[in-house]
Amino acid sequence: MAIQKTSIPLAAAVVAAVLLGCRHLKPPVPLEKLNEQQTHGYWVFQSNCRQCHSDRESKALQGPSLLGVYQKQYLPSGAAATDERIQATILHGRNMMPAMGGNVSDKDMADLLVYLHTL
Ligand code: HEC
């Protein structure tokens, strides 16, 4: 009996450790907690990127999911996950991703990057 009582918290700790190991990314900041700039970036994303990229789930569409994009050290291409690199991808495109520079104003770009940091 004594063994059973102590083994329950132990089992819970093991399960928690396994779950944390698999899901080491923090979940995105909830939409209702976004500030004004982040919320604007969310809408820029929905109108320009969402048709090819998931933002709040890991499912790949035409392009890779951007869930946790800045929490990972590298982009799918292996380049560092930095503002400079992501901005260059948006401006100039990459392989099957079209250049989007013409669609996104400087303010939209800044707000979009701020939103991507909440994922
Ligand atoms: C028409 C579809 C399409 C649209 C629209 C699109 N992308 Fe992409 N994106 C792709 C594809 C396909 C790739 C994979 C390119 C490759 O590496 O071959 C990609 C790759 C990326 C990458 C990873 C680059 C890397 O170095 O691995 C980022 C970041 C990205 N897109 C951001 C965006 C953002 C932000 C927007 C909106 C402004 C956007 N994309 C709009 C299709 C799209």
Side-chain angles (χ1 to χ4, degrees), residues 5-21:
K5 269 187 193 155
T6 52
S7 66
I8 291 169
L10 184 67
V14 169
V15 168
V18 169
L19 288 176
L20 285 173

Side-chain angles (χ1 to χ4, degrees), residues 5-110:
K5 269 187 193 155
T6 52
S7 66
I8 291 169
L10 184 67
V14 169
V15 168
V18 169
L19 288 176
L20 285 173
C22 301
R23 298 186 61 243
H24 58 282
L25 296 182
K26 281 184 285 157
V29 178
L31 289 180
E32 65 274 13
K33 296 226 168 111
L34 298 185
N35 67 27
E36 204 178 315
Q37 187 183 18
Q38 293 162 341
T39 301
H40 181 247
Y42 168 81
W43 288 113
V44 174
F45 187 92
Q46 301 312 310
S47 30
N48 294 286
C49 319
R50 183 66 176 96
Q51 71 265 36
C52 297
H53 294 284
S54 301
D55 49 348
R56 313 188 71 80
E57 55 181 4
S58 54
K59 186 165 157 249
L61 303 176
Q62 194 176 327
S65 166
L66 298 184
L67 180 66
V69 61
Y70 282 105
Q71 293 188 55
K72 300 176 196 157
Q73 202 174 351
Y74 299 106
L75 295 171
S77 65
T82 62
D83 284 354
E84 291 70 28
R85 177 62 196 215
I86 292 184
Q87 183 161 343
T89 305
I90 298 167
L91 290 176
H92 308 301
R94 187 186 151 75
N95 299 327
M96 296 298 290
M97 174 169 161
M100 316 272 309
N103 300 9
V104 184
S105 70
D106 286 355
K107 179 181 190 305
D108 285 355
M109 176 69 82

